[in-house]
Amino acid sequence: MLLPIAALIGIAAEGDAEIWPHLIRNVLPSSIVDTLALLAGIAVVAGSMGITSAWLVTAHRFPGRSILVWLLPLPLAVPTYITAYIYVELFDSAGLVQMALRNAMGWTSRGDYWFPEIRSLYGCILVMSAVLYPYVYIVSRAMFLTQSASMLEVARVLGASRLKLFRVIALPLARPALAVGLSLAMLEALNDIGASEYLGVRTLTVAVYNTWLNRGSLPGAAQIACVMLAFVVALILIERYGRKDKRYATSAKRSRVVHPAPLFGGRAWLATVLCAIPVFLGFVLPVAFLLREILRGSLIAQFDSEFLDHLLITLGLSVTATIAVLALATLLVSVARIAKSPLARSTLFVAGLGYAVPGTVLALGLMTPLVKIDEVIGTIWRHLTGERLGLLLMGTSFAIIIAYVLRFLSIATGSLSAGLDRVSPSLEDAARTLGSSRKEMAWRIQIPLMRPAMASAALLIFVDCIKELPATLLLRPLNTETLATQVYTYASRGRFEDGSLAALVIVLIGLLPVIQLVRSAEARQKRPESPDSPSSNPSS
């Protein structure tokens, strides 16, 4: 994890002295402004969508609530770049909606009417927020479900309205979850390249990509990437400040949680509409468009040997990376648990930084280390055999797998650490007393007890690998296509509709872990709690 960052700084430092002044004058100002505006807009829009819908479905009963609880997290399965391509096809000047309006109203040109421009900063904020709000929704709903009912009941007795109850009590208590959810959503937005580029927003990620590939300046791209790292550090610090290391726990003697209060009349239907709008914008509309294009264009015929090759490559890379991540995460978590040393904890923390580093930055930083490793291996091979050896890592599928492992390792380490923290230390103490070695204790106690967490982490990692675009786009070998890069290629040629089948397959694969996530959350909500159960720590 440290090698790519060190290499990135080294590449940036070796650049021509004239590059940095050029970037400061012509590239960075607009890119920084667009990036800040995009992140701020997503924080407001996605935060509002997520926190409002989470509170409504948790604290109230209204028509459609039981269905919306399952539907609200589903946009998490739709990549941002696919949603952006679909919204352009629908709402651009040549899209279906404006064409229908012109035909219905008799307008002949765009100058005859006004319509919001989807290829704009505001359009990008809306599109990304419609897909990223579940990050806020999921963690906020988990926090609301753990809040004590007695606190809210006292507020009601003292005359607090529903709005004041939410604003004064529920929302401040959910601040740690809100900080985590917003930081995840903004990190995903910072990592995005397909949506922002297609919608005409020149973020820092787009600037890195254009400077590297289109202008042929690797040092210039590295210098922009270093600026992006500063943004990542700032987001992490903001998230830590939002939580301020505070912990919110429910009472061990009063574990009764909030029960939904019924809404009636117009308020009930307003709650239904407010919760249904994000689902429609982020999931129903994109999936309906993809199904329409597949049926309309008979794209099911694209499921040929070539498409099957792309699917197998995608699945092969994702499965291999998932297995590697789980193996490495299991080793790291077990060692940190057994060793209980500051060095082990620090190693675990550093290894988990990859998710905070955008895929474009990670790909750029991996180039130099991988090339150096290939050179060392090639030199050794030439001395042993007298023959030249081609690239083994850089320019091959191994580079993509390494990028996936570094980027998504934190998902596995976080999940396995949380699962192992629930295990009583007395089990390990008993194993040591009975003479078990550290290896036996890890193999016979820790790993079996981590299997449920490993299963959920594997699903999330697998789907994230399927959707990952920036790192795959920059590190893929020649003539190698995954489903994500295939969709990007069609969209860059102005023929996104031809990639609808690949896009729909990505979405369908992504639905599996999201549904499992909702099922697990609902099962925990319905599970009766013992009055003697230990208090929970929602902020974790």
Side-chain angles (χ1 to χ4, degrees), residues 12 42 69 267 311 475:
I42 289 174
V69 166
R267 289 184 176 181
L311 177 59
L475 293 175

Side-chain angles (χ1 to χ4, degrees), residues 200 202 333:
R202 302 302 176 187
V333 171

Side-chain angles (χ1 to χ4, degrees), residues 257-306:
V257 297
V258 179
H259 290 285
L263 294 176
F264 302 100
R267 289 184 176 181
W269 289 108
L270 178 61
T272 302
V273 171
L274 289 177
C275 292
I277 287 176
V279 176
F280 177 79
L281 294 177
F283 182 76
V284 175
L285 188 61
V287 171
F289 178 86
L290 293 177
L291 289 173
R292 173 187 178 275
E293 290 299 316
I294 291 173
L295 297 176
R296 178 171 167 265
S298 300
L299 296 181
I300 198 66
Q302 285 185 352
F303 203 89
D304 52 13
S305 59
E306 183 180 5

Side-chain angles (χ1 to χ4, degrees), residues 211-432:
T211 303
W212 181 5
L213 296 184
N214 297 341
R215 299 174 186 172
S217 176
L218 183 59
Q223 291 172 354
I224 300 174
C226 289
V227 177
M228 288 186 65
L229 284 178
F231 270 78
V232 170
V233 172
L235 287 177
I236 294 175
L237 293 177
I238 291 172
E239 184 266 334
R240 294 293 174 89
Y241 177 79
R243 289 191 295 163
K244 291 184 178 180
D245 295 327
K246 292 182 178 179
R247 297 173 181 265
Y248 297 78
T250 57
S251 171
K253 297 182 178 180
R254 187 178 295 274
S255 57
R256 186 166 53 89
V257 297
V258 179
H259 290 285
L263 294 176
F264 302 100
R267 289 184 176 181
W269 289 108
L270 178 61
T272 302
V273 171
L274 289 177
C275 292
I277 287 176
V279 176
F280 177 79
L281 294 177
F283 182 76
V284 175
L285 188 61
V287 171
F289 178 86
L290 293 177
L291 289 173
R292 173 187 178 275
E293 290 299 316
I294 291 173
L295 297 176
R296 178 171 167 265
S298 300
L299 296 181
I300 198 66
Q302 285 185 352
F303 203 89
D304 52 13
S305 59
E306 183 180 5
F307 183 87
L308 187 60
D309 288 341
H310 297 160
L311 177 59
L312 291 177
I313 290 172
T314 305
L315 295 177
L317 292 173
S318 302
V319 170
T320 305
T322 301
I323 294 173
V325 168
L326 289 178
L328 185 57
T330 302
L331 175 64
L332 290 172
V333 171
S334 297
V335 168
R337 173 84 169 191
I338 294 173
K340 296 180 180 178
S341 66
L343 177 61
R345 290 193 296 269
S346 301
T347 303
L348 188 63
F349 171 77
V350 173
L353 291 177
Y355 195 79
V357 179
T360 312
V361 176
L362 188 60
L364 188 61
L366 276 173
M367 289 185 61
T368 299
L370 295 182
V371 170
K372 294 296 183 183
I373 294 173
D374 280 336
E375 290 177 354
V376 172
I377 296 175
T379 301
I380 296 174
W381 182 263
R382 187 167 59 252
H383 282 303
L384 293 176
T385 65
E387 299 177 357
R388 295 180 60 85
L389 186 66
L391 296 176
L392 294 178
L393 299 178
M394 190 60 202
T396 68
S397 297
F398 286 108
I400 301 178
I401 293 172
I402 292 171
Y404 287 172
V405 171
L406 292 179
R407 176 141 171 74
F408 303 123
L409 183 61
S410 62
I411 298 176
T413 55
S415 180
L416 297 186
S417 296
L420 202 56
D421 286 343
R422 298 189 183 100
V423 178
S424 173
S426 61
L427 290 176
E428 297 168 350
D429 295 337
R432 287 195 187 97

Side-chain angles (χ1 to χ4, degrees), residues 81 188 190-194 205 209 212 358-361 363-364 404 407 467-476 484-485:
Y81 53 89
E188 284 294 319
L190 191 61
N191 177 63
D192 173 81
I193 187 173
T205 307
Y209 182 77
W212 181 5
T360 312
V361 176
L364 188 61
Y404 287 172
R407 176 141 171 74
K467 297 191 298 181
E468 175 63 25
L469 178 62
T472 310
L473 197 63
L474 298 175
L475 293 175
R476 59 175 173 161
T485 60

